[in-house]
Structure formats: C-alpha cells, structure tokens
Amino acid sequence: MLKYENSFWDNPGPGQQPRYERGPQCLYEKLEQGGAECDELLAFFRERMAIEEAYAASLRKLAERKLSAEGFGRDEGATLKTAFRGLLTECVVLAEAHADLALELQSSVIVPLRSFSSEHRARVRASWKLIDDTVRRASAELAQVDRNHRVYTQKASAAEQLRLKESPGSLQPAASPTEFE
C-alpha cells in the first residue's frame, strides 16, 4: 500500500534511521519535468506562430496577384470579376487575421510562458540547493548520532563488564545502556 513513508523516504529497517533524500528528489524531478513540459509548449507555440506567419504571407502574396489580361483583366466588371476581387480582398483579410493570431501568440502566450519557465527553473534550482543542503546536513548529523550511540553502547557495555570484574560478588547488573534510549 502506498504511504507517505514508503513513497518519500527509504526506511532501511528496524534499528536504522530512514534516509530522507528520496522525498525531495522525487518532488524536484516532477518540478523539473514541468520545466521540460514548458519547453515543449514553447516549441509548439513557436512553430504554430511560424505557421500562422507563413500562412499570412502566402495569403498576402495570393491577394497581390494581378488580373490576367486574357481573363478578368479584360472583363468590363461583370459579376464574376467582382466575385474574384472579393476573393482577393478576403485573402487580405484572412492574411491579417492570421498575422494578428501570430502576434497574439507571441505576446500573450510565448513571452509570458518563456518568462514563467525561466523563473520557474531558477526557483527550482535555488529551492533544490537549499533543501538538498539541509537534507545532506541532517543526514550527516543523523549518521553522527548513530555513531555516537554505537560508541556509547560499546563504552557502557565495557564499563558494565569492568564493574562486574571489579565486584564479582554483585550479580545485580547496573542499568543497561538500552534502558537509557
């Protein structure tokens, strides 16, 4: 069963202290994944913006075409010529709409997302360094406590053995080191 304890730190077993490095690392990997996802979004919107710009340019070029001297250029203004000019005008309108969409993508999506992404990465790096340093320091202190406990237990056991040797008549042992834990 998933629990906080087995998801965010290693519990090596009875008598040993848990290690806490896994928790922050798991969380920061997800935060870094968010940065990578922002990069994917930025790439997508940049490509979409480029497509919109290219489409707008193609529509403008299409709308600039001259009427052929053999075709609509020769027509005196009949309904079909008016419809064709309407098509060319509509191409200009569509070109502007797609150019506006490209600008809107740049100003409303790409610039803010790029800013957020770089600020997010800086926050994650700074936070990770702070948390990582704290966890390392705590782990080192915990290891020192474990070493001190082992030394204390060894010395207390040696002192108890020495006391028993010096007073062989006393069968009652003093308080064991484990009673002080």
Side-chain angles (χ1 to χ4, degrees):
M1 177 176 178
L2 282 179
K3 292 183 176 181
Y4 183 83
E5 298 88 22
N6 61 18
S7 296
F8 290 103
W9 61 68
D10 297 324
N11 195 352
Q16 294 181 344
Q17 297 295 331
R19 294 178 49 103
Y20 300 102
E21 292 88 359
R22 195 166 116 208
Q25 184 172 0
C26 177
L27 296 174
Y28 282 104
E29 284 172 0
K30 282 298 184 184
L31 290 171
E32 288 174 348
Q33 178 183 344
E37 289 168 354
C38 282
D39 290 344
E40 281 187 65
L41 284 169
L42 280 169
F44 172 84
F45 285 120
R46 284 183 182 129
E47 188 172 343
R48 172 70 189 269
M49 185 184 79
I51 289 169
E52 293 295 339
E53 288 172 338
Y55 190 49
S58 294
L59 287 171
R60 277 191 206 103
K61 184 177 176 186
L62 182 62
E64 292 170 355
R65 75 181 323 154
K66 303 289 183 209
L67 299 179
S68 164
E70 292 84 34
F72 289 118
R74 211 170 144 187
D75 200 330
E76 293 86 32
T79 310
L80 191 54
K81 181 178 183 179
T82 306
F84 186 70
R85 283 195 174 158
L87 285 173
L88 295 176
T89 303
E90 188 61 29
C91 281
V92 172
V93 171
L94 277 173
E96 293 308 311
H98 285 280
D100 289 347
L101 178 58
L103 288 173
E104 190 68 23
L105 283 171
Q106 176 69 21
S107 64
S108 296
V109 178
I110 294 172
V111 169
L113 185 57
R114 185 177 48 224
S115 175
F116 167 80
S117 180
S118 65
E119 291 169 3
H120 172 74
R121 278 195 163 85
R123 282 189 306 269
V124 167
R125 271 186 248 111
S127 179
W128 172 247
K129 180 165 178 21
L130 176 70
I131 296 296
D132 190 46
D133 290 347
T134 302
V135 168
R136 286 177 195 258
R137 192 171 44 256
S139 294
E141 290 171 358
L142 192 57
Q144 184 61 44
V145 167
D146 286 342
R147 283 190 296 273
N148 290 346
H149 182 261
R150 280 193 305 278
V151 168
Y152 166 76
T153 304
Q154 290 169 352
K155 287 184 178 181
S157 179
E160 182 61 23
Q161 289 176 1
L162 184 61
R163 186 185 69 77
L164 288 175
K165 282 183 185 178
E166 289 177 356
S167 56
S170 170
L171 297 175
Q172 183 72 15
S176 72
T178 56
E179 291 178 15
F180 295 111
E181 292 178 0

